[in-house]
């Protein structure tokens, strides 16, 4: 069994690659929920939905989020009615949020996620990091913003001076999260933003300890290529958290539990310091095609598992 920690569009692509290499039931996915928000009265869980849609073959290839071929009639109508519209919800995507919100009236977030996964015909265990609300907040000179305000509304054009995770100190890992880490044959950290995609997961008490204590090998895929983020605000937010924007910075973020860092070949000659006493594997980490996603997954699995240890897809 492989457990992967993930968030964001890079994480969804990496999970798509993993299930092209190993059987879906051999994988447990622990997902960031620090980006969750209430929008039009609905509970929206963007990173959980990206994993659901990616595994169900529904994820939009063009946008990297939401449902392929979706329309936005409801959003346009809401805008005309005076409702806020800076956070986009497609019409088919909206059904997921309606269903989740309905389920949350009598279920936890983990139970609602499992129900949605079952309704989409998935065989992979998908676990939100916590049933408790943990909100990623970005500190700026003009005040504090939620992650979605910073990322979507402001398009990360305002300077970030720090990040905090509101509510993390009171949160508990969702049922199954600690066991999935401690009992895994291997743990993978997706090529996600180490600050706002993986950081919220690590902020939940007990999860970081489980990563330190597991006997499984832990490998992280760097989202930094050639000294810059592949996409999004990872570079700016790493600077805000005083991490170098480099594979060394990624290794530093996970230094207390990481065994292996998988970095892009473009960084082999990059002028960075040695990444924190971990073994480094260089490969192509740009997942521009399905074959590239699968190849990165193969490299990641091979770095932590003996050949033939898992049931192939």
């Amino acid at each position: 069994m492989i457990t992967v920690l993930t968030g964001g569009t890079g994480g969804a692509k990496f999970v798509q690659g993993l299930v092209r290499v190993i059987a879906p039931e051999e994988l447990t996915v622990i997902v960031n929920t620090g980006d969750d928000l209430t929008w039009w009265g609905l509970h929206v869980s963007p990173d959980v939905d990206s994993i659901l849609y990616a595994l169900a073959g529904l994820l939009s290839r063009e946008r990297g989020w939401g449902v392929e071929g979706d329309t936005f009639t409801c959003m346009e109508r809401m805008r005309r009615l005076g409702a806020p519209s800076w956070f986009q919800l497609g019409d088919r995507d909206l059904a997921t949020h309606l269903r989740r919100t309905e389920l949350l009236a009598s279920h936890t977030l983990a139970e609602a996620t499992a129900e949605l996964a079952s309704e989409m015909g998935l065989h992979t265990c998908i676990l939100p990091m916590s049933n408790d609300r943990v909100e990623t907040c970005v500190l700026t000179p003009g005040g504090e913003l939620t992650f979605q305000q910073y990322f979507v509304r402001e398009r990360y054009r305002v300077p970030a001076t720090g990040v905090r995770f509101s509510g993390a100190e009171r949160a508990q890992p969702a049922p199954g999260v600690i066991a999935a880490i401690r009992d895994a044959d291997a743990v993978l950290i997706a090529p996600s933003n180490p600050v706002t995609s993986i950081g919220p997961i690590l902020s939940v008490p007990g999860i970081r300890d489980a990563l330190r204590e597991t006997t499984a090998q832990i490998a992280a895929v760097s989202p930094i290529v050639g000294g810059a983020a592949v996409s999004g605000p990872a570079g700016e937010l790493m600077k805000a958290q005083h991490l170098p924007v480099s594979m060394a910075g990624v290794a530093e973020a996970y230094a207390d539990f990481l065994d292996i860092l998988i970095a892009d070949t473009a960084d082999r000659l990059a002028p960075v310091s040695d990444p924190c006493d971990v073994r480094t594997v260089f490969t192509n980490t740009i997942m521009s095609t399905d074959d590239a996603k699968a190849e990165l997954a193969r490299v990641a699995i091979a770095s932590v598992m003996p050949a033939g240890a898992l049931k192939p897809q």
Side-chain angles (χ1 to χ4, degrees):
M1 179 67 70
I2 285 183
T3 295
V4 59
L5 277 59
T6 182
T9 56
K13 288 182 177 180
F14 186 60
V15 169
Q16 285 179 315
L18 286 170
V19 296
R20 283 170 62 91
V21 177
I22 62 172
E25 59 270 22
E26 293 276 7
L27 186 65
T28 296
V29 186
I30 299 172
V31 190
N32 167 44
T33 57
D35 301 357
D36 286 17
L37 72 160
T38 301
W39 189 254
W40 301 340
L42 304 176
H43 185 111
V44 181
S45 193
D47 285 356
V48 170
D49 291 340
S50 288
I51 296 299
L52 290 168
Y53 296 154
L55 292 174
L58 298 173
L59 186 67
S60 169
R61 287 176 175 271
E62 179 184 0
R63 294 188 301 274
W65 56 268
V67 178
E68 181 77 17
D70 213 346
T71 54
F72 292 84
T73 303
C74 180
M75 191 189 77
E76 176 57 22
R77 184 59 185 160
M78 289 293 279
R79 186 187 66 79
R80 293 188 180 192
L81 291 171
S85 57
W86 58 261
F87 189 85
Q88 299 183 48
L89 296 183
D91 298 325
R92 296 173 191 171
D93 191 25
L94 190 59
T96 303
H97 311 313
L98 285 164
R99 179 63 174 144
R100 174 183 292 110
T101 304
E102 177 187 43
L103 288 167
L104 286 175
S106 55
H107 296 71
T108 65
L109 182 59
E111 292 168 342
T113 301
E115 183 66 25
L116 286 166
S118 175
E119 290 168 356
M120 293 185 192
L122 304 183
H123 301 289
T124 296
C125 179
I126 303 170
L127 300 173
M129 65 190 199
S130 176
N131 284 326
D132 302 312
R133 187 75 183 97
V134 176
E135 188 168 49
T136 300
C137 301
V138 180
L139 313 182
T140 78
E144 193 169 282
L145 302 175
T146 67
F147 179 75
Q148 298 298 351
Q149 289 171 332
Y150 168 78
F151 181 60
V152 179
R153 192 187 70 188
E154 303 298 330
R155 300 179 185 273
Y156 49 97
R157 288 176 296 207
V158 295
T161 58
V163 175
R164 74 178 188 97
F165 306 110
S166 176
E169 68 282 359
R170 298 183 300 275
Q172 295 185 0
V177 165
I178 297 300
I181 294 170
R182 287 183 172 161
D183 299 341
D185 296 308
V187 178
L188 300 174
I189 312 293
S192 304
N193 184 327
V195 177
T196 53
S197 290
I198 304 301
I201 301 175
L202 301 180
S203 77
V204 178
I207 293 182
R208 196 154 204 145
D209 289 340
L211 288 162
R212 294 187 188 112
E213 293 163 6
T214 184
T215 59
Q217 287 278 288
I218 303 176
V221 182
S222 172
I224 302 297
V225 174
V230 174
S231 63
E236 293 305 312
L237 294 174
M238 289 177 72
K239 290 178 190 173
Q241 293 298 85
H242 308 293
L243 291 168
V245 184
S246 66
M247 65 179 193
V250 177
E252 184 179 334
Y254 309 139
D256 54 328
F257 56 78
L258 189 66
D259 298 303
I260 300 152
L261 179 69
I262 299 169
D264 196 272
T265 50
D267 288 314
R268 185 188 293 273
L269 301 177
V272 296
S273 57
D274 291 337
C276 298
D277 194 29
V278 298
R279 182 163 69 89
T280 306
V281 175
F282 290 99
T283 188
N284 172 33
T285 62
I286 301 296
M287 297 177 286
S288 53
T289 66
D290 288 341
D291 287 345
K293 295 172 191 173
E295 182 56 26
L296 179 58
R298 285 190 193 93
V299 171
I301 292 171
S303 75
V304 290
M305 299 282 289
L310 288 173
K311 178 182 175 183
Q313 173 61 297

